Amino acid sequence: MGRQCKPAAEYDMRVAHGLLQRESVHWPAYAIVSTPSAYAAAQNYLVREPAGVVFAEWLDSAHQQDLSDRLPAGIELVIGLGGGKALDASKFVALDKDAELILVPTILSSGAIIHSHVARWDGYQTVGDLDDWPWVDCQYVLVDVDVVLKAPDYLHTAGLGDILCGHAGLEEWRRRAALGQGAAFDPALAAQQVAHHESIADSFAATLDANGRMTEASAANIAQRIKERDSQQLKAPTESGDHPFWIALETANQQTWIHGELVALGAMIITWCCSGDTAGLAERLDRCRVRWRPRQMGLERTALQKGLAFTPHYMAEKGVNSVLREPIAGARFDALWSFLETP
């Protein structure tokens, strides 16, 4: 059997105050792939200057190649500094430069902090799938609490949205089984996953301060939950449309939103379409301070309408068997929007 990429459970994830200052003094010739705001938040903590800095603007692979080409030759180490956009671009650059990689998330907004595959993107759509993509294993993940807590809380709690969106798989499974399609629904397994998601919400809420703001313990909690997701999440034996919805909506609008918030919204729409437990999902997302309502994330009615009009075509093209392959338009969209906008 050939070499496998490192599982998330095996990632060396370090969470503490002062990590950037302690670790950067030991780094060899290195370059940073970041975004302007993330670099500004972390720059003063770097003991040694990087040999080059480039800013990722989007996930397109041609853009990522341009970033790599703009960095000097001889780089031994690439530092991915920022959110998912910068971290994913740094993986491309490290692979292209044949350099070591360290991931330094400044926001904990998605699973990009522990995923090693280098997805191929053409604009807003992926090309191929997981089996087609190369990967690069990072040396370790560095979460410097001093830097992370500078960012607004919602940029971190979106990472919990990227986990709790897994509820959509249960609803798709329940619905498909009721239609006589796929595996029989197992209420015990479903209850186990709901209980796991409840424990995620409970443990995170317990880390907040008296004003409901994140603390060092909150950052550590989110980072650990993201790391655990791939190994501990109890996945339903069926696919779900929450992540394809994210890509379809951004493709239709040629615009990006915060990943964890958008897949949480996708999960809520799927749950609504399946006549599932929208109240339970909403309560867990709210307890984790995840912004899933369109008005919270700045998603306008026309943008959602456009995205949902494109979603069935996108899912049909990609072979995704989801309730979202059924059109949501006219009076049905009006009802959905009213539900999503209800406080």
Side-chain angles (χ1 to χ4, degrees):
M1 181 180 291
R3 177 176 171 264
Q4 301 281 322
C5 63
K6 186 191 304 182
E10 295 180 10
Y11 268 55
D12 177 6
M13 182 178 290
R14 308 172 187 181
V15 183
H17 289 280
L19 278 179
L20 267 179
Q21 288 181 321
R22 292 200 298 272
E23 297 291 333
S24 63
V25 69
H26 304 297
W27 291 344
Y30 75 97
I32 288 180
V33 180
S34 188
T35 58
S37 59
Y39 186 60
Q43 186 175 12
N44 290 338
Y45 297 92
L46 298 170
V47 176
R48 296 175 54 249
E49 287 291 318
V53 179
V54 289
F55 296 139
E57 297 179 12
W58 62 325
L59 293 173
D60 179 69
S61 293
H63 171 61
Q64 293 175 341
Q65 183 65 61
D66 179 61
L67 297 179
S68 184
D69 292 344
R70 283 156 46 192
L71 290 171
I75 294 300
E76 300 176 52
L77 173 67
V78 172
I79 303 297
L81 178 72
K85 179 170 57 179
L87 300 185
D88 283 344
S90 74
K91 297 165 193 173
F92 181 102
V93 173
L95 194 64
D96 189 59
K97 293 290 191 185
D98 192 24
E100 296 292 338
L101 174 68
I102 294 173
L103 298 178
V104 184
T106 58
I107 58 174
L108 305 170
S109 60
S110 76
I113 69 176
I114 48 85
H115 287 160
S116 59
H117 280 92
V118 181
R120 300 303 190 193
W121 289 85
D122 180 7
Y124 292 88
Q125 292 196 48
T126 55
V127 178
D129 56 32
L130 204 61
D131 294 333
D132 304 316
W133 299 333
W135 72 86
V136 54
D137 293 329
C138 70
Q139 289 186 20
Y140 58 89
V141 181
L142 186 160
V143 182
D144 190 312
V145 175
D146 299 310
V147 177
V148 164
L149 291 183
K150 288 183 176 182
D153 286 0
Y154 70 86
L155 293 177
H156 303 304
T157 58
L160 295 175
D162 201 13
I163 300 171
L164 296 178
C165 70
H167 181 81
L170 295 181
E171 300 293 357
E172 298 256 31
W173 180 22
R174 189 197 317 269
R175 175 181 176 275
R176 205 163 298 150
L179 295 173
Q181 303 169 2
F185 184 71
D186 183 343
L189 181 59
Q192 193 176 355
Q193 179 165 323
V194 170
H196 178 56
H197 286 184
E198 284 288 339
S199 73
I200 290 173
D202 283 343
S203 66
F204 174 74
T207 68
L208 300 173
D209 67 17
N211 296 316
R213 294 297 310 278
M214 279 182 52
T215 64
E216 176 182 358
S218 306
N221 177 279
I222 295 174
Q224 185 61 30
R225 289 300 191 178
I226 292 174
K227 180 180 178 180
E228 292 173 350
R229 180 181 66 172
D230 292 345
S231 56
Q232 291 193 6
Q233 187 179 30
L234 306 166
K235 296 182 179 178
T238 185
E239 61 187 332
S240 176
D242 49 292
H243 274 63
F245 162 80
W246 149 57
I247 297 178
L249 189 139
E250 292 193 340
T251 300
N253 288 280
Q254 295 291 287
Q255 182 180 344
T256 61
W257 285 267
I258 297 171
H259 171 84
E261 296 180 351
L262 212 53
V263 295
L265 170 62
M268 186 60 72
I269 293 173
I270 288 169
T271 301
W272 182 85
C273 289
C274 293
S275 300
D277 185 16
T278 55
L281 177 57
E283 193 277 334
R284 288 188 291 276
L285 290 170
D286 289 344
R287 214 178 333 153
C288 289
R289 307 291 198 274
V290 179
R291 304 189 316 178
W292 60 270
R293 296 171 179 84
R295 67 175 179 275
Q296 293 174 310
M297 65 179 76
L299 177 63
E300 295 183 357
R301 176 190 172 103
T302 53
L304 180 59
Q305 200 166 21
K306 188 174 183 180
L308 286 173
F310 177 67
T311 294
H313 305 286
Y314 175 78
M315 291 193 176
E317 177 187 337
K318 297 296 183 180
V320 179
N321 188 4
S322 168
V323 68
L324 293 186
R325 286 182 67 161
E326 300 174 6
I328 303 177
R332 190 164 184 241
F333 177 83
D334 292 340
L336 171 64
W337 183 259
S338 177
F339 162 73
L340 294 173
E341 286 296 283
T342 301

